[in-house]
Amino acid sequence: MQLVVARIGRAHGIKGEVTVEVRTDEPELRLGPGAVLATDPASTGPLTIETGRVHSGRLLLRFEGVRDRTGAEALRNTLLIAEVDPEELPEDEDEYYDHQLMDLDIVTKDGLEVGRITEISHLPSQDLFIVERPDGSEVMIPFVESIVTEIDLEEQRAIIDPPPGLIDDRAVIASARDGEESSDGEPSDERPSGDDA
């Protein structure tokens, strides 16, 4: 089975190194020197990792046969794909491979069916489940412990405890002005400032 483990970013320096956006919780296993990776598009690979190092918090890789900035830039946006045994599981019991989570049903802790995971987006700050609802619309659910409270692979479902407004439009906005009216006589819809709004 094939898993996307990284996406190549821009060239770094003039000796063929590239930055990579890591998409695996096991970069030392999947992206170590000597690893041979398939690519998407397939025409750019396979690529063999020659060296890897961390610089300013980013992983830099150099591939065999890529010796200059031009060659490195030609690889930009290429996906790196590792061949993984389908029976293999992550070392940490609270970690999951994307293929384990795809197509899981999303259900609230109260039993409300939300939809089915159709995509997993790996962002720098957190991962997001892209969930297709029964009506065909999509909702994004952050894959964080406070929201996704349980992954049940046997039952093929993920149980969530969503904050108000995440899966519906009934968000409750707390404000010191609750109940006050604006100068035009309409209820004020000012929102509190800060990251929680």
Side-chain angles (χ1 to χ4, degrees), residues 116-154:
R116 181 179 54 86
I117 299 173
T118 57
E119 185 181 340
I120 299 165
S121 180
H122 299 279
L123 305 178
S125 58
Q126 67 192 14
D127 295 339
L128 284 177
F129 290 158
I130 311 300
V131 177
E132 182 178 323
R133 303 180 84 148
D135 65 5
S137 65
E138 288 186 339
V139 62
M140 291 182 282
I141 297 175
F143 186 22
V144 294
E145 193 175 345
S146 60
I147 295 174
V148 181
T149 59
E150 182 184 345
I151 300 287
D152 186 340
L153 295 178
E154 284 190 17

Side-chain angles (χ1 to χ4, degrees), residues 26-65:
E26 302 168 313
E28 62 288 337
L29 176 66
R30 308 287 179 209
L31 300 171
V36 179
L37 301 166
T39 59
D40 181 6
S43 59
T44 59
L47 294 172
T48 302
I49 297 175
E50 186 173 282
T51 63
R53 66 186 177 103
V54 175
H55 176 73
S56 298
R58 300 223 44 170
L59 180 62
L60 302 179
L61 296 178
R62 179 182 290 128
F63 300 99
E64 289 182 6

Side-chain angles (χ1 to χ4, degrees), residues 12-171:
H12 179 83
I14 60 170
K15 295 182 179 178
E17 282 187 312
V18 294
T19 62
V20 292
E21 173 192 313
V22 176
R23 296 190 178 178
T24 173
D25 291 328
E26 302 168 313
E28 62 288 337
L29 176 66
R30 308 287 179 209
L31 300 171
V36 179
L37 301 166
T39 59
D40 181 6
S43 59
T44 59
L47 294 172
T48 302
I49 297 175
E50 186 173 282
T51 63
R53 66 186 177 103
V54 175
H55 176 73
S56 298
R58 300 223 44 170
L59 180 62
L60 302 179
L61 296 178
R62 179 182 290 128
F63 300 99
E64 289 182 6
V66 180
R67 292 282 173 252
D68 58 24
R69 188 174 184 88
T70 303
E73 270 301 329
L75 298 175
R76 192 170 188 163
N77 293 321
T78 297
L79 296 177
L80 298 175
I81 302 166
E83 192 66 39
V84 177
D85 182 339
E87 302 301 314
E88 183 182 327
L89 297 175
E91 290 179 12
D92 188 330
E93 64 180 29
D94 291 329
E95 292 178 355
Y96 301 90
Y97 291 136
D98 286 5
H99 73 274
Q100 294 176 288
L101 301 171
M102 290 295 289
D103 292 323
L104 290 186
D105 292 323
I106 297 286
V107 181
T108 67
K109 63 178 185 166
D110 302 325
L112 176 70
E113 182 185 341
V114 177
R116 181 179 54 86
I117 299 173
T118 57
E119 185 181 340
I120 299 165
S121 180
H122 299 279
L123 305 178
S125 58
Q126 67 192 14
D127 295 339
L128 284 177
F129 290 158
I130 311 300
V131 177
E132 182 178 323
R133 303 180 84 148
D135 65 5
S137 65
E138 288 186 339
V139 62
M140 291 182 282
I141 297 175
F143 186 22
V144 294
E145 193 175 345
S146 60
I147 295 174
V148 181
T149 59
E150 182 184 345
I151 300 287
D152 186 340
L153 295 178
E154 284 190 17
E155 294 293 326
Q156 285 291 291
R157 67 181 185 177
I159 299 171
I160 64 169
D161 184 10
L166 182 65
I167 60 172
D168 57 35
D169 56 5
R170 296 188 298 268

Side-chain angles (χ1 to χ4, degrees), residues 164-180:
L166 182 65
I167 60 172
D168 57 35
D169 56 5
R170 296 188 298 268
V172 177
I173 306 298
S175 171
R177 296 177 173 249
D178 281 353
E180 290 185 18

